[in-house]
Amino acid sequence: MNRQDIKDAKTGFPSRRLCGSKLCVFTRENRGQSMRSTMRPTHLRPMSSLGTLRPASVETPESGDDHAEATHRRRPTSMPALRLSRLGGALAAVPALCLTFASPASAAVPGYERVFDISALDSMSTKSVTVTCPAGKKVLGTGARIYSGLGVGFQHVVLDDIRPNVTLTALTVTGYEDAAGTSEDWEVWASANCADPIPGLERIQAVSASDSLSNKSVTATCPSGKMVVGSGGEITNGLGRVLIDDLRPNSLLTNVTVTGYEDALGTSNNWTVTAYAICADPLPGLQRVASFSAVSSSSKWVSADCPTGTVLLNSGAEISSGIGFVGLIEMGPVNLLTMSNQTAAIEMMSGTTNSWAVDAYAICATP
């Protein structure tokens, strides 16, 4: 089957559900009607055939320190090519897409489902979008993206919040324009990997001191015996002047560290950074996959891909040597089917001569 056969006829984005062993496709025009009644089944290709990127370094919880084993690096991709080929801006017309996997009640991640939603595409200085799991399901992991139709707005919009709510039923993503602002239209979108509640599931929160230091970090740690399955981060009172630099689950999957940096102009505001760890009892096949970009002074992306036979639970990222001049604009799966975290970062405002890198982290497990 040709890949175009399973794309939305209007947007070109794979708007679909998995129904048992078949792939059910629904078009944008029919989403307002009964979705199930408009699905047309077609045979599903193996998941591994849908992407061209190979898996990066796989770290089991016994692997040790964050950077000890992950040495796989990818050639950076220019941001215009990334924007056109991967970000899928036509998503703006297709809110609340979802992908459902059929799984037995005894599965380790029963009822696994990925849901997306997107904010308005306009030039408002701040905007948020909240995506909600289907009834009875919980957020296991998160993803976020900023999209600008012309690309220029990327340099003036920061990810401020990637916040799973306390009951783990929804995820909110917020973007802020920086002090310079932009006249370009832009949007934020949120993706949540949801499932039936798994044993021991809870959200752990840690908040930094509130002050005007130029950078700060905080770590949320899972209770003893539990492991990280998902993550989130939030800047409070940064108002576009503070960038999320790291949203990093450690390699042992025991904690999540979030770091914020003031941008080149800084701020006199007192601000905080919050780390969220979504914790649960250990799952079969639970692992962190890490991939590093090349080190250079240009915008770049990198993908961390879950091994065959596992599903993506969560997306995380880390910028090295960006120190407030580099911002994350993408951290999550590029569509409804891929089991990988594509992470992209761009130099903000006037850029930097520093050489820097961006790391992508995927948390994966056996479904």
Side-chain angles (χ1 to χ4, degrees):
M1 180 181 66
N2 187 289
R3 287 186 67 177
Q4 276 66 37
D5 292 341
I6 58 173
K7 291 186 177 180
D8 184 295
K10 292 287 186 181
T11 67
F13 187 83
S15 174
R16 62 192 102 180
R17 281 179 180 257
L18 281 176
C19 304
S21 62
K22 294 184 177 181
L23 180 68
C24 298
V25 182
F26 56 94
T27 64
R28 181 178 59 174
E29 299 94 318
N30 292 329
R31 289 200 78 259
Q33 305 169 18
S34 171
M35 188 161 53
R36 293 187 182 276
S37 67
T38 61
M39 292 179 181
R40 49 182 177 85
T42 184
H43 292 293
L44 175 67
R45 296 197 304 170
M47 189 69 67
S48 60
S49 71
L50 295 176
T52 59
L53 299 178
R54 293 177 296 175
S57 301
V58 177
E59 305 170 329
T60 61
E62 293 78 22
S63 295
D65 294 338
D66 285 344
H67 297 282
E69 298 82 14
T71 58
H72 182 78
R73 295 183 181 271
R74 297 187 183 279
R75 185 182 304 276
T77 294
S78 66
M79 295 312 297
L82 171 65
R83 171 172 56 85
L84 292 173
S85 64
R86 298 211 175 247
L87 290 182
L91 275 171
V94 193
L97 300 177
C98 57
L99 167 71
T100 305
F101 284 87
S103 56
S106 60
V109 189
Y112 179 91
E113 182 167 359
R114 184 177 299 161
V115 291
F116 291 83
D117 211 347
I118 310 160
S119 74
L121 175 64
D122 57 37
S123 190
M124 297 291 290
S125 61
T126 180
K127 61 199 65 160
S128 294
V129 63
T130 297
V131 63
T132 302
C133 288
K137 297 188 178 184
K138 299 288 187 178
V139 175
L140 299 188
T142 67
R145 179 171 288 127
I146 296 169
Y147 176 77
S148 171
L150 297 179
V152 181
F154 279 140
Q155 294 176 298
H156 296 287
V157 182
V158 302
L159 280 171
D160 188 81
D161 303 344
I162 306 169
R163 185 179 66 250
N165 68 348
V166 67
T167 57
L168 294 176
T169 57
L171 169 70
T172 298
V173 175
T174 301
Y176 270 90
E177 293 184 7
D178 64 16
T182 177
S183 61
E184 302 299 336
D185 291 345
W186 58 276
E187 65 190 8
V188 295
W189 66 277
S191 67
N193 295 313
C194 307
D196 297 339
I198 58 178
L201 188 66
E202 62 178 313
R203 191 196 75 170
I204 301 298
Q205 173 181 332
V207 184
S208 74
S210 178
D211 55 41
S212 192
L213 291 177
S214 63
N215 68 88
K216 59 198 71 163
S217 293
V218 67
T219 298
T221 301
C222 289
S224 178
K226 295 187 179 183
M227 300 181 71
V228 174
V229 296
S231 63
E234 181 175 9
I235 304 293
T236 301
N237 209 35
L239 305 177
R241 301 290 188 90
V242 181
L243 313 174
I244 293 179
D245 186 82
D246 303 343
L247 203 169
R248 184 182 69 249
N250 71 339
S251 60
L252 297 178
L253 294 179
T254 56
N255 63 52
V256 173
T257 297
V258 179
T259 301
Y261 270 90
E262 293 184 5
D263 66 15
L265 297 179
T267 178
S268 59
N269 293 343
N270 290 335
W271 57 275
T272 63
V273 60
T274 301
Y276 298 106
I278 302 174
C279 307
D281 295 346
L283 294 171
L286 189 66
Q287 58 197 283
R288 190 191 77 167
V289 179
S291 186
F292 297 165
S293 75
V295 178
S296 66
S297 184
S298 61
S299 300
K300 55 187 71 78
W301 67 273
V302 65
S303 180
D305 310 318
C306 288
T308 301
T310 64
V311 294
L312 177 69
L313 299 184
N314 185 75
S315 300
E318 178 177 12
I319 297 170
S320 299
S321 300
I323 56 174
F325 292 93
V326 180
L328 293 166
I329 59 168
E330 178 182 20
M331 182 172 48
V334 297
N335 60 38
L336 292 172
L337 282 182
T338 55
M339 295 300 168
S340 61
N341 166 25
Q342 180 172 285
T343 295
I346 191 168
E347 295 185 6
M348 307 299 291
M349 295 187 179
S350 57
T352 176
T353 58
N354 293 343
S355 291
W356 55 274
V358 61
D359 309 337
Y361 300 110
I363 299 179
C364 315
T366 303

